[in-house]
């Protein structure tokens, strides 16, 4: 098992999951749905890791949790989002 991706959380999460159950429940439903659908669509070839829509939803979810819990730190998905957006811009 891996650690939850919420800032400062060390709780275990199941393989293939984004957050621990406690933090996942804090994510608004529409954002949960976006994360789930984009992950499922790209998981066969790990395309979700370069999908700006998926990564933006992950960044927003982690930021939302940090705001609720008043935690500070670096959002681990922000770097992936920046890289994905650069790749997408270069492809155009």
């Amino acid at each position: 098992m891996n650690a939850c991706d919420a800032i400062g959380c060390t709780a275990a999460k199941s393989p293939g999951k984004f957050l621990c159950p406690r933090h996942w429940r804090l994510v608004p439903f529409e954002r949960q749905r976006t994360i789930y659908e984009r992950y499922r669509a790209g998981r066969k070839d790990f395309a979700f890791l370069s999908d700006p829509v998926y990564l933006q939803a992950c960044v927003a979810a982690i930021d939302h949790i940090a705001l609720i819990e008043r935690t500070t730190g670096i959002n681990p998905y922000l770097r992936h989002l920046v890289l994905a957006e650069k790749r997408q811009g270069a492809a155009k």
Side-chain angles (χ1 to χ4, degrees):
M1 292 196 140
N2 297 324
C4 175
D5 286 324
I7 296 170
C9 184
T10 58
K13 65 177 182 178
S14 300
K17 298 295 181 183
F18 168 56
L19 300 165
C20 67
R22 180 174 71 86
H23 282 120
W24 183 246
R25 287 190 293 273
L26 296 176
V27 177
F29 176 74
E30 287 301 315
R31 191 160 294 133
Q32 285 182 358
R33 186 166 56 189
T34 298
I35 291 169
Y36 179 76
E37 288 173 355
R38 300 302 284 220
Y39 173 79
R40 298 265 308 162
R43 78 176 181 183
K44 185 173 93 175
D45 58 0
F46 293 96
F48 63 91
L49 293 174
S50 59
D51 177 359
V53 174
Y54 169 79
L55 294 168
Q56 179 59 50
C58 292
V59 167
I62 291 171
D63 287 348
H64 178 76
I65 293 165
L67 184 66
I68 290 170
E69 295 184 339
R70 296 186 176 145
T71 56
T72 59
I74 298 171
N75 187 321
Y77 279 76
L78 191 55
R79 183 174 75 86
H80 297 293
L81 175 61
V82 170
L83 291 172
E85 288 175 339
K86 282 183 182 179
R87 275 188 234 115
Q88 188 179 42
K92 287 183 180 179

